[in-house]
């Protein structure tokens, strides 16, 4: 079964760093782009960026460029989303998803269960 | 950036009746490779999004045939032929033709 399993919920204070993960299984992890999507409380979906684990080619939406870092470790089939200094406005549900196809045009066909990040003092 | 505008944002429907959601893009979504990268996702309450339709009208495996997608250029539609209780949730269109990819605001479907 093709699936993406994300790390558990996090509660952090402003200014702290954080790295959440997304582990793929049941398919060739290095052959599909993995993306991240933000959903703030009660709001819609926002496309953040994608990474191709095969060569670590990474693309960011301009809205998120410089705000987060996307990475991947192909040896353990895992993609990451990280922050160096969290803000309260980073509180949201974050989904990873697999891009269906060989380039960024294709839509996400497999989604993780989501990781809830809460940033509060 | 391409802006995706959905309407209506809220859609109360009667069980067994049809429903239709519109999605309009600020630029044509026809790519130079001939494909139109317009997709539809369903997000049921408390769940992750799920893709229903890709490239305008291709239904994903396991998606009931009461869901259909149509449209071209800048105007697209998701139709549910007969709404069932399990269809309650928020529906999003998403374009992948132009960088950066973008979602619409979402349409909340609820039962009257």
């Amino acid at each position: 079964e093709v699936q993406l399993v994300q790390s558990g919920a996090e509660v952090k204070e402003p200014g702290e760093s954080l790295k959440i993960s997304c582990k793929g299984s049941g398919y060739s992890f290095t052959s599909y782009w993995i993306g991240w999507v933000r959903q703030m409380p009660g709001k819609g979906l926002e496309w953040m960026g994608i990474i191709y684990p095969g060569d670590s080619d990474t693309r960011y939406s301009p809205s998120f460029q410089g705000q987060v870092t996307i990475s991947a470790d192909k040896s353990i089939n895992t993609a990451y989303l990280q922050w160096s200094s969290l803000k309260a406005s980073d509180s949201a549900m974050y989904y990873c998803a697999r891009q269906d196809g060989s380039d960024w045009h294709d839509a996400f066909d497999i989604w993780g269960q989501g990781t809830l990040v809460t940033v509060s003092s | 950036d391409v802006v995706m505008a959905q309407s209506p944002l809220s859609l109360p429907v009667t069980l067994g009746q049809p429903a239709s959601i519109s999605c309009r893009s600020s630029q044509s979504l026809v790519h130079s490779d001939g494909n139109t990268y317009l997709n539809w996702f369903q997000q049921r309450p408390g769940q992750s999004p799920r893709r229903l339709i890709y490239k305008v009208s291709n239904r994903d495996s396991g998606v009931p045939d009461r869901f259909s997608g149509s449209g071209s250029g800048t105007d697209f539609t998701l139709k549910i032929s007969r709404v069932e209780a399990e269809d309650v949730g928020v529906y999003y269109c998403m374009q992948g033709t132009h960088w950066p990819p973008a979602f619409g605001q979402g349409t909340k479907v609820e039962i009257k």
Side-chain angles (χ1 to χ4, degrees), chain A residues 11-38:
Chain A
V11 179
K12 293 288 189 179
E13 293 189 358
E16 290 191 309
S17 63
L18 175 64
K19 192 174 190 177
I20 62 175
S21 67
C22 169
K23 184 175 177 63
S25 61
Y27 73 100
S28 175
F29 186 73
T30 54
S31 300
Y32 292 82
W33 292 83
I34 291 280
W36 289 93
V37 174
R38 183 175 78 175

PDB file of all heavy atoms in Angstrom, chain A residues 11-38:
ATOM      1  N   VAL A  11       4.028  20.959  20.035  1.00  0.00           N
ATOM      2  CA  VAL A  11       3.721  22.210  20.725  1.00  0.00           C
ATOM      3  C   VAL A  11       5.044  22.883  21.024  1.00  0.00           C
ATOM      4  O   VAL A  11       5.907  22.298  21.703  1.00  0.00           O
ATOM      5  CB  VAL A  11       2.929  21.965  22.024  1.00  0.00           C
ATOM      6  CG1 VAL A  11       2.658  23.305  22.713  1.00  0.00           C
ATOM      7  CG2 VAL A  11       1.626  21.245  21.739  1.00  0.00           C
ATOM      8  N   LYS A  12       5.214  24.081  20.503  1.00  0.00           N
ATOM      9  CA  LYS A  12       6.473  24.793  20.639  1.00  0.00           C
ATOM     10  C   LYS A  12       6.223  26.233  21.079  1.00  0.00           C
ATOM     11  O   LYS A  12       5.117  26.751  20.973  1.00  0.00           O
ATOM     12  CB  LYS A  12       7.208  24.798  19.286  1.00  0.00           C
ATOM     13  CG  LYS A  12       7.693  23.433  18.824  1.00  0.00           C
ATOM     14  CD  LYS A  12       8.871  22.978  19.649  1.00  0.00           C
ATOM     15  CE  LYS A  12       9.518  21.737  19.070  1.00  0.00           C
ATOM     16  NZ  LYS A  12      10.696  21.312  19.884  1.00  0.00           N
ATOM     17  N   GLU A  13       7.308  26.855  21.544  1.00  0.00           N
ATOM     18  CA  GLU A  13       7.236  28.272  21.903  1.00  0.00           C
ATOM     19  C   GLU A  13       7.817  29.110  20.770  1.00  0.00           C
ATOM     20  O   GLU A  13       8.640  28.623  19.976  1.00  0.00           O
ATOM     21  CB  GLU A  13       8.013  28.516  23.201  1.00  0.00           C
ATOM     22  CG  GLU A  13       7.375  27.847  24.411  1.00  0.00           C
ATOM     23  CD  GLU A  13       8.034  28.270  25.709  1.00  0.00           C
ATOM     24  OE1 GLU A  13       9.014  29.050  25.670  1.00  0.00           O
ATOM     25  OE2 GLU A  13       7.561  27.826  26.780  1.00  0.00           O
ATOM     26  N   PRO A  14       7.363  30.369  20.670  1.00  0.00           N
ATOM     27  CA  PRO A  14       7.925  31.264  19.635  1.00  0.00           C
ATOM     28  C   PRO A  14       9.441  31.329  19.755  1.00  0.00           C
ATOM     29  O   PRO A  14      10.003  31.361  20.862  1.00  0.00           O
ATOM     30  CB  PRO A  14       7.278  32.610  19.973  1.00  0.00           C
ATOM     31  CG  PRO A  14       6.002  32.255  20.644  1.00  0.00           C
ATOM     32  CD  PRO A  14       6.295  31.027  21.441  1.00  0.00           C
ATOM     33  N   GLY A  15      10.106  31.325  18.590  1.00  0.00           N
ATOM     34  CA  GLY A  15      11.557  31.378  18.564  1.00  0.00           C
ATOM     35  C   GLY A  15      12.238  30.024  18.519  1.00  0.00           C
ATOM     36  O   GLY A  15      13.423  29.937  18.168  1.00  0.00           O
ATOM     37  N   GLU A  16      11.506  28.970  18.858  1.00  0.00           N
ATOM     38  CA  GLU A  16      12.107  27.638  18.825  1.00  0.00           C
ATOM     39  C   GLU A  16      12.194  27.129  17.393  1.00  0.00           C
ATOM     40  O   GLU A  16      11.505  27.604  16.499  1.00  0.00           O
ATOM     41  CB  GLU A  16      11.289  26.662  19.673  1.00  0.00           C
ATOM     42  CG  GLU A  16      11.393  26.914  21.164  1.00  0.00           C
ATOM     43  CD  GLU A  16      10.790  25.794  21.998  1.00  0.00           C
ATOM     44  OE1 GLU A  16       9.626  25.412  21.724  1.00  0.00           O
ATOM     45  OE2 GLU A  16      11.474  25.296  22.922  1.00  0.00           O
ATOM     46  N   SER A  17      13.045  26.129  17.198  1.00  0.00           N
ATOM     47  CA  SER A  17      13.168  25.478  15.901  1.00  0.00           C
ATOM     48  C   SER A  17      12.343  24.197  15.896  1.00  0.00           C
ATOM     49  O   SER A  17      11.977  23.664  16.954  1.00  0.00           O
ATOM     50  CB  SER A  17      14.632  25.155  15.596  1.00  0.00           C
ATOM     51  OG  SER A  17      15.129  24.233  16.551  1.00  0.00           O
ATOM     52  N   LEU A  18      12.035  23.727  14.685  1.00  0.00           N
ATOM     53  CA  LEU A  18      11.220  22.520  14.564  1.00  0.00           C
ATOM     54  C   LEU A  18      11.469  21.866  13.212  1.00  0.00           C
ATOM     55  O   LEU A  18      11.647  22.551  12.200  1.00  0.00           O
ATOM     56  CB  LEU A  18       9.732  22.861  14.684  1.00  0.00           C
ATOM     57  CG  LEU A  18       8.734  21.717  14.463  1.00  0.00           C
ATOM     58  CD1 LEU A  18       8.907  20.649  15.548  1.00  0.00           C
ATOM     59  CD2 LEU A  18       7.310  22.245  14.454  1.00  0.00           C
ATOM     60  N   LYS A  19      11.455  20.529  13.222  1.00  0.00           N
ATOM     61  CA  LYS A  19      11.559  19.767  11.982  1.00  0.00           C
ATOM     62  C   LYS A  19      10.525  18.658  12.048  1.00  0.00           C
ATOM     63  O   LYS A  19      10.558  17.843  12.984  1.00  0.00           O
ATOM     64  CB  LYS A  19      12.963  19.168  11.852  1.00  0.00           C
ATOM     65  CG  LYS A  19      13.312  18.591  10.505  1.00  0.00           C
ATOM     66  CD  LYS A  19      14.798  18.179  10.499  1.00  0.00           C
ATOM     67  CE  LYS A  19      15.302  17.821   9.133  1.00  0.00           C
ATOM     68  NZ  LYS A  19      16.756  17.489   9.140  1.00  0.00           N
ATOM     69  N   ILE A  20       9.585  18.642  11.110  1.00  0.00           N
ATOM     70  CA  ILE A  20       8.590  17.574  11.064  1.00  0.00           C
ATOM     71  C   ILE A  20       8.884  16.677   9.869  1.00  0.00           C
ATOM     72  O   ILE A  20       9.545  17.092   8.909  1.00  0.00           O
ATOM     73  CB  ILE A  20       7.144  18.117  11.019  1.00  0.00           C
ATOM     74  CG1 ILE A  20       6.900  18.949   9.767  1.00  0.00           C
ATOM     75  CG2 ILE A  20       6.848  18.922  12.277  1.00  0.00           C
ATOM     76  CD1 ILE A  20       5.436  19.415   9.628  1.00  0.00           C
ATOM     77  N   SER A  21       8.393  15.443   9.932  1.00  0.00           N
ATOM     78  CA  SER A  21       8.786  14.474   8.914  1.00  0.00           C
ATOM     79  C   SER A  21       7.606  13.808   8.228  1.00  0.00           C
ATOM     80  O   SER A  21       6.467  13.841   8.715  1.00  0.00           O
ATOM     81  CB  SER A  21       9.688  13.407   9.544  1.00  0.00           C
ATOM     82  OG  SER A  21       8.961  12.627  10.469  1.00  0.00           O
ATOM     83  N   CYS A  22       7.924  13.175   7.116  1.00  0.00           N
ATOM     84  CA  CYS A  22       6.927  12.510   6.276  1.00  0.00           C
ATOM     85  C   CYS A  22       7.624  11.298   5.641  1.00  0.00           C
ATOM     86  O   CYS A  22       8.517  11.468   4.801  1.00  0.00           O
ATOM     87  CB  CYS A  22       6.450  13.492   5.212  1.00  0.00           C
ATOM     88  SG  CYS A  22       5.455  12.797   3.870  1.00  0.00           S
ATOM     89  N   LYS A  23       7.236  10.107   6.055  1.00  0.00           N
ATOM     90  CA  LYS A  23       7.898   8.899   5.561  1.00  0.00           C
ATOM     91  C   LYS A  23       7.032   8.188   4.535  1.00  0.00           C
ATOM     92  O   LYS A  23       5.868   7.870   4.808  1.00  0.00           O
ATOM     93  CB  LYS A  23       8.194   7.940   6.721  1.00  0.00           C
ATOM     94  CG  LYS A  23       8.972   6.700   6.300  1.00  0.00           C
ATOM     95  CD  LYS A  23       9.352   5.858   7.497  1.00  0.00           C
ATOM     96  CE  LYS A  23      10.085   4.567   7.077  1.00  0.00           C
ATOM     97  NZ  LYS A  23      11.359   4.856   6.397  1.00  0.00           N
ATOM     98  N   GLY A  24       7.617   7.948   3.388  1.00  0.00           N
ATOM     99  CA  GLY A  24       6.900   7.274   2.319  1.00  0.00           C
ATOM    100  C   GLY A  24       7.186   5.785   2.299  1.00  0.00           C
ATOM    101  O   GLY A  24       8.278   5.341   2.663  1.00  0.00           O
ATOM    102  N   SER A  25       6.175   5.007   1.877  1.00  0.00           N
ATOM    103  CA  SER A  25       6.361   3.564   1.743  1.00  0.00           C
ATOM    104  C   SER A  25       5.441   3.029   0.661  1.00  0.00           C
ATOM    105  O   SER A  25       4.451   3.669   0.294  1.00  0.00           O
ATOM    106  CB  SER A  25       6.072   2.856   3.071  1.00  0.00           C
ATOM    107  OG  SER A  25       4.735   3.064   3.475  1.00  0.00           O
ATOM    108  N   GLY A  26       5.801   1.867   0.136  1.00  0.00           N
ATOM    109  CA  GLY A  26       4.965   1.219  -0.864  1.00  0.00           C
ATOM    110  C   GLY A  26       5.194   1.691  -2.287  1.00  0.00           C
ATOM    111  O   GLY A  26       4.452   1.297  -3.195  1.00  0.00           O
ATOM    112  N   TYR A  27       6.185   2.537  -2.493  1.00  0.00           N
ATOM    113  CA  TYR A  27       6.502   3.012  -3.840  1.00  0.00           C
ATOM    114  C   TYR A  27       7.960   3.465  -3.876  1.00  0.00           C
ATOM    115  O   TYR A  27       8.617   3.533  -2.837  1.00  0.00           O
ATOM    116  CB  TYR A  27       5.564   4.158  -4.250  1.00  0.00           C
ATOM    117  CG  TYR A  27       5.828   5.477  -3.562  1.00  0.00           C
ATOM    118  CD1 TYR A  27       6.546   6.490  -4.197  1.00  0.00           C
ATOM    119  CD2 TYR A  27       5.351   5.724  -2.265  1.00  0.00           C
ATOM    120  CE1 TYR A  27       6.793   7.706  -3.567  1.00  0.00           C
ATOM    121  CE2 TYR A  27       5.588   6.939  -1.636  1.00  0.00           C
ATOM    122  CZ  TYR A  27       6.316   7.923  -2.291  1.00  0.00           C
ATOM    123  OH  TYR A  27       6.550   9.126  -1.665  1.00  0.00           O
ATOM    124  N   SER A  28       8.450   3.788  -5.074  1.00  0.00           N
ATOM    125  CA  SER A  28       9.821   4.256  -5.219  1.00  0.00           C
ATOM    126  C   SER A  28       9.911   5.716  -4.780  1.00  0.00           C
ATOM    127  O   SER A  28       9.561   6.637  -5.530  1.00  0.00           O
ATOM    128  CB  SER A  28      10.257   4.127  -6.680  1.00  0.00           C
ATOM    129  OG  SER A  28      11.544   4.695  -6.861  1.00  0.00           O
ATOM    130  N   PHE A  29      10.385   5.929  -3.559  1.00  0.00           N
ATOM    131  CA  PHE A  29      10.375   7.263  -2.949  1.00  0.00           C
ATOM    132  C   PHE A  29      11.168   8.277  -3.765  1.00  0.00           C
ATOM    133  O   PHE A  29      10.825   9.457  -3.806  1.00  0.00           O
ATOM    134  CB  PHE A  29      10.949   7.162  -1.538  1.00  0.00           C
ATOM    135  CG  PHE A  29      10.881   8.427  -0.729  1.00  0.00           C
ATOM    136  CD1 PHE A  29       9.667   8.869  -0.213  1.00  0.00           C
ATOM    137  CD2 PHE A  29      12.026   9.172  -0.470  1.00  0.00           C
ATOM    138  CE1 PHE A  29       9.595  10.039   0.535  1.00  0.00           C
ATOM    139  CE2 PHE A  29      11.965  10.335   0.279  1.00  0.00           C
ATOM    140  CZ  PHE A  29      10.740  10.766   0.782  1.00  0.00           C
ATOM    141  N   THR A  30      12.220   7.830  -4.421  1.00  0.00           N
ATOM    142  CA  THR A  30      13.084   8.758  -5.139  1.00  0.00           C
ATOM    143  C   THR A  30      12.534   9.170  -6.504  1.00  0.00           C
ATOM    144  O   THR A  30      13.127  10.021  -7.172  1.00  0.00           O
ATOM    145  CB  THR A  30      14.483   8.144  -5.343  1.00  0.00           C
ATOM    146  OG1 THR A  30      14.351   6.869  -5.983  1.00  0.00           O
ATOM    147  CG2 THR A  30      15.195   7.979  -4.012  1.00  0.00           C
ATOM    148  N   SER A  31      11.412   8.594  -6.903  1.00  0.00           N
ATOM    149  CA  SER A  31      10.890   8.842  -8.254  1.00  0.00           C
ATOM    150  C   SER A  31       9.702   9.793  -8.302  1.00  0.00           C
ATOM    151  O   SER A  31       9.161  10.037  -9.390  1.00  0.00           O
ATOM    152  CB  SER A  31      10.487   7.505  -8.902  1.00  0.00           C
ATOM    153  OG  SER A  31      11.598   6.640  -9.002  1.00  0.00           O
ATOM    154  N   TYR A  32       9.265  10.295  -7.177  1.00  0.00           N
ATOM    155  CA  TYR A  32       8.106  11.186  -7.127  1.00  0.00           C
ATOM    156  C   TYR A  32       8.419  12.416  -6.274  1.00  0.00           C
ATOM    157  O   TYR A  32       9.031  12.304  -5.214  1.00  0.00           O
ATOM    158  CB  TYR A  32       6.901  10.484  -6.492  1.00  0.00           C
ATOM    159  CG  TYR A  32       6.315   9.357  -7.314  1.00  0.00           C
ATOM    160  CD1 TYR A  32       6.886   8.091  -7.287  1.00  0.00           C
ATOM    161  CD2 TYR A  32       5.177   9.565  -8.086  1.00  0.00           C
ATOM    162  CE1 TYR A  32       6.337   7.058  -8.024  1.00  0.00           C
ATOM    163  CE2 TYR A  32       4.621   8.525  -8.823  1.00  0.00           C
ATOM    164  CZ  TYR A  32       5.211   7.275  -8.792  1.00  0.00           C
ATOM    165  OH  TYR A  32       4.663   6.253  -9.521  1.00  0.00           O
ATOM    166  N   TRP A  33       7.956  13.572  -6.743  1.00  0.00           N
ATOM    167  CA  TRP A  33       8.049  14.776  -5.926  1.00  0.00           C
ATOM    168  C   TRP A  33       7.168  14.618  -4.678  1.00  0.00           C
ATOM    169  O   TRP A  33       6.100  14.025  -4.728  1.00  0.00           O
ATOM    170  CB  TRP A  33       7.564  15.993  -6.708  1.00  0.00           C
ATOM    171  CG  TRP A  33       8.433  16.390  -7.860  1.00  0.00           C
ATOM    172  CD1 TRP A  33       8.422  15.857  -9.124  1.00  0.00           C
ATOM    173  CD2 TRP A  33       9.415  17.419  -7.868  1.00  0.00           C
ATOM    174  NE1 TRP A  33       9.349  16.493  -9.913  1.00  0.00           N
ATOM    175  CE2 TRP A  33       9.974  17.462  -9.180  1.00  0.00           C
ATOM    176  CE3 TRP A  33       9.875  18.331  -6.918  1.00  0.00           C
ATOM    177  CZ2 TRP A  33      10.973  18.365  -9.544  1.00  0.00           C
ATOM    178  CZ3 TRP A  33      10.863  19.229  -7.281  1.00  0.00           C
ATOM    179  CH2 TRP A  33      11.407  19.253  -8.566  1.00  0.00           C
ATOM    180  N   ILE A  34       7.639  15.194  -3.578  1.00  0.00           N
ATOM    181  CA  ILE A  34       6.850  15.287  -2.344  1.00  0.00           C
ATOM    182  C   ILE A  34       6.641  16.760  -2.046  1.00  0.00           C
ATOM    183  O   ILE A  34       7.600  17.554  -2.097  1.00  0.00           O
ATOM    184  CB  ILE A  34       7.584  14.642  -1.151  1.00  0.00           C
ATOM    185  CG1 ILE A  34       7.655  13.128  -1.322  1.00  0.00           C
ATOM    186  CG2 ILE A  34       6.887  14.999   0.168  1.00  0.00           C
ATOM    187  CD1 ILE A  34       6.387  12.394  -0.947  1.00  0.00           C
ATOM    188  N   GLY A  35       5.400  17.132  -1.730  1.00  0.00           N
ATOM    189  CA  GLY A  35       5.099  18.515  -1.436  1.00  0.00           C
ATOM    190  C   GLY A  35       4.570  18.705  -0.032  1.00  0.00           C
ATOM    191  O   GLY A  35       4.212  17.742   0.657  1.00  0.00           O
ATOM    192  N   TRP A  36       4.529  19.979   0.382  1.00  0.00           N
ATOM    193  CA  TRP A  36       3.973  20.340   1.689  1.00  0.00           C
ATOM    194  C   TRP A  36       2.865  21.373   1.490  1.00  0.00           C
ATOM    195  O   TRP A  36       2.987  22.287   0.659  1.00  0.00           O
ATOM    196  CB  TRP A  36       5.064  20.894   2.595  1.00  0.00           C
ATOM    197  CG  TRP A  36       6.032  19.851   3.053  1.00  0.00           C
ATOM    198  CD1 TRP A  36       7.219  19.500   2.459  1.00  0.00           C
ATOM    199  CD2 TRP A  36       5.898  18.990   4.186  1.00  0.00           C
ATOM    200  NE1 TRP A  36       7.829  18.491   3.164  1.00  0.00           N
ATOM    201  CE2 TRP A  36       7.041  18.153   4.227  1.00  0.00           C
ATOM    202  CE3 TRP A  36       4.932  18.840   5.199  1.00  0.00           C
ATOM    203  CZ2 TRP A  36       7.234  17.198   5.224  1.00  0.00           C
ATOM    204  CZ3 TRP A  36       5.126  17.889   6.178  1.00  0.00           C
ATOM    205  CH2 TRP A  36       6.269  17.081   6.192  1.00  0.00           C
ATOM    206  N   VAL A  37       1.803  21.204   2.265  1.00  0.00           N
ATOM    207  CA  VAL A  37       0.634  22.068   2.185  1.00  0.00           C
ATOM    208  C   VAL A  37       0.267  22.532   3.590  1.00  0.00           C
ATOM    209  O   VAL A  37       0.217  21.719   4.514  1.00  0.00           O
ATOM    210  CB  VAL A  37      -0.558  21.305   1.556  1.00  0.00           C
ATOM    211  CG1 VAL A  37      -1.832  22.145   1.590  1.00  0.00           C
ATOM    212  CG2 VAL A  37      -0.225  20.893   0.120  1.00  0.00           C
ATOM    213  N   ARG A  38       0.035  23.826   3.749  1.00  0.00           N
ATOM    214  CA  ARG A  38      -0.355  24.375   5.048  1.00  0.00           C
ATOM    215  C   ARG A  38      -1.865  24.591   5.098  1.00  0.00           C
ATOM    216  O   ARG A  38      -2.472  25.007   4.107  1.00  0.00           O
ATOM    217  CB  ARG A  38       0.355  25.711   5.293  1.00  0.00           C
ATOM    218  CG  ARG A  38       0.048  26.314   6.667  1.00  0.00           C
ATOM    219  CD  ARG A  38       0.866  27.566   6.918  1.00  0.00           C
ATOM    220  NE  ARG A  38       0.356  28.734   6.235  1.00  0.00           N
ATOM    221  CZ  ARG A  38       0.850  29.962   6.385  1.00  0.00           C
ATOM    222  NH1 ARG A  38       1.885  30.157   7.188  1.00  0.00           N
ATOM    223  NH2 ARG A  38       0.329  30.965   5.720  1.00  0.00           N
TER     224      ARG A  38
END
